Amino acid sequence: MNNSVSFADIHAAADYIGPGAVEVPLYQTEIFDICRRSSPFGQRIKQIPATGHPSRFFEESAIPNPGAAGFVNPRSIAAPTVSPTRVERSVPLKAIVAQINYNLFDIELGKQQQQFAYLQAKDLVDTVSGVMVTHDVALWNGNDTSLSGPTTTQYMGAIAQIAAAGNTKTIGISESIVDGLKSTVAQMVANNGYHVRPTAIYANPVLLDLIDREMKSDFNVVLNSDEVTGGFRVKMLSTQAGDLPLIPDWSLGYTGTPGSGSAVLPAYIVTEDLIEYHWLGDAAPRIFQLGMPNSLTHQYVAVKFGGLVVKGASYAHYQVLVDR
C-alpha cells in the first residue's frame, strides 16, 4: 500500500497571485461546438423496418406485356402467354456501435463542484451524434462491395451501388456542367421501360459552386432556391423531371484541385423514394447502460442496426463525374 502524502503548490493552478488576489481559471459553462452532426441525405431517404436478416424484397423488372404478339385476328384469337418478371433482392443488416465511460470519481467531482452540470448529458448526446455521423458518411461511402454476399462490416454505400449498376456519365473539361446534368436527367426520364422521376441532385458544395458560376457567367442567371428540410434552403435546377434541388453534401468527396484539369467531382442524380434504410429495433440509435464493473465506471453503449439499399440502381439513379 502506498501511504505517501503530497501537497500541491497553488502556483501551479493559479493564473495570478498578488496582494489580496488569487485568480484561478474559470471557464464558460457552454462548450463551443459546431461539429458536423448530420447530412440531409439520411433525412430524406426512406426509413423502413427490416423484414429480417437479410431484409428481403422483390423487384419487378418487366410487366406482363404481350408486345407485337398481342395483336391477333379478332375472328381467330390465340392469346400469347405472358408472365411478370420478378427478381428476389436482399440487403444485409450492419451494426454501428460506440461506448462512452463515466468514471465514478469524475461524476462525484462534477456534482460537488457544481460546474459543467450538463457535460455528462452532452457527452452522451454527442456519442449518439457520432454514431449518426458515421452512419451518414457510410450511407454514401460504405466500402462493402455486395448486397448478396457482404465482404466488409460497413454498408454498401449508395455510391458503390449506383456505380456497380453502370449508370455513369463523364462531363469533360470543356463541356457544360449544367447541360450535362440536364441531358442525363432527360435520358433517365425518357426510359421507355421504367417510370423514372429523379427527385434530387447531390454533390459536394465545391461542384455546386462551379454550377453557380457557370450559370452566372454563361447565362447571367441566378438559380432559384427552395427549402428541402427544416430551415435548409438549396438552389434548384430546371430539368425534364421538374425543378430538382441541388443538395450540398459534405460527405461526397472529390479528387484533385478544381481548375487544374485533373480534378474529378462527382454528382449523383437520385430518386430518393427508391433509396431505403432498413432498420432493426429503431431507426434512431439506442442507448444501453451496462453494469458498473470493478473499475467503477458507468458504461453507455450506443447501437444502431440497419442496412442501405438503392432500389433500381441501374435505371432510377445516375453518377455524373465532372472533370475540371
Side-chain angles (χ1 to χ4, degrees):
M1 179 179 293
N2 185 356
N3 293 318
S4 62
V5 177
S6 62
F7 288 89
D9 188 346
I10 196 172
H11 284 85
D15 287 338
Y16 174 76
I17 297 177
V22 175
E23 296 180 10
V24 296
L26 292 179
Y27 301 89
Q28 291 181 330
T29 56
E30 296 294 327
I31 297 176
F32 174 68
D33 181 0
I34 58 170
C35 295
R36 292 279 191 190
R37 275 176 167 74
S38 64
S39 71
F41 183 59
Q43 300 172 41
R44 287 173 59 88
I45 62 176
K46 276 189 174 181
Q47 308 277 332
I48 65 173
T51 63
H53 178 53
S55 184
R56 301 180 186 276
F57 62 95
F58 287 97
E59 178 183 353
E60 185 159 338
S61 56
I63 61 174
N65 184 359
F71 291 95
V72 298
N73 186 335
R75 290 189 175 88
S76 179
I77 296 178
T81 301
V82 297
S83 63
T85 303
R86 298 190 179 105
V87 182
E88 181 186 355
R89 307 289 191 194
S90 65
V91 51
L93 304 184
K94 304 299 181 72
I96 304 176
V97 296
Q99 177 174 313
I100 186 169
N101 297 336
Y102 297 146
N103 183 276
L104 180 62
F105 176 80
D106 294 328
I107 293 175
E108 297 291 341
L109 186 62
K111 288 180 181 178
Q112 186 156 315
Q113 285 188 330
Q114 296 182 350
Q115 293 181 357
F116 297 109
Y118 79 110
L119 185 58
Q120 293 159 13
K122 173 177 168 51
D123 286 346
L124 191 58
V125 170
D126 285 352
T127 300
V128 175
S129 296
V131 168
M132 289 305 300
V133 168
T134 299
H135 164 76
D136 285 341
V137 172
L139 286 178
W140 282 115
N141 302 286
N143 64 11
D144 203 348
T145 56
S146 173
L147 292 179
S148 58
T151 58
T152 75
T153 57
Q154 295 187 19
Y155 305 144
M156 184 179 183
I159 292 176
Q161 293 186 46
I162 295 172
N167 275 358
T168 300
K169 173 185 175 63
T170 299
I171 299 176
I173 296 175
S174 60
E175 296 178 295
S176 166
I177 304 174
V178 173
D179 288 349
L181 290 173
K182 289 164 71 76
S183 65
T184 303
V185 172
Q187 179 182 339
M188 296 171 66
V189 174
N191 191 317
N192 60 4
Y194 299 95
H195 181 71
V196 178
R197 286 294 182 272
T199 57
I201 300 174
Y202 286 83
N204 188 279
V206 173
L207 176 56
L208 299 185
D209 179 58
L210 294 178
I211 293 174
D212 265 350
R213 295 185 189 190
E214 180 180 298
M215 292 295 290
K216 182 178 180 180
S217 62
D218 292 355
F219 309 106
N220 197 27
V221 170
V222 176
L223 296 174
N224 294 327
S225 63
D226 199 4
E227 187 171 330
V228 291
T229 59
F232 185 56
R233 299 185 67 86
V234 300
K235 300 293 181 67
M236 308 292 289
L237 182 66
S238 177
T239 72
Q240 293 303 309
D243 289 344
L244 297 186
L246 298 170
I247 301 179
D249 198 316
W250 52 271
S251 60
L252 290 174
Y254 62 91
T255 60
T257 302
S260 67
S262 60
V264 179
L265 303 97
Y268 295 90
I269 305 169
V270 298
T271 307
E272 292 160 313
D273 287 345
L274 299 181
I275 302 178
E276 297 177 350
Y277 182 78
H278 292 212
W279 51 263
L280 176 65
D282 199 304
R286 290 172 292 164
I287 294 292
F288 295 91
Q289 182 176 5
L290 307 182
M292 188 178 296
N294 292 337
S295 58
L296 294 182
T297 58
H298 294 268
Q299 298 179 342
Y300 294 85
V301 178
V303 181
K304 183 173 178 61
F305 299 123
L308 177 78
V309 60
V310 179
K311 292 184 174 179
S314 62
Y315 50 84
H317 317 272
Y318 232 97
Q319 175 181 250
V320 179
L321 303 177
V322 180
D323 295 337
R324 280 299 179 268

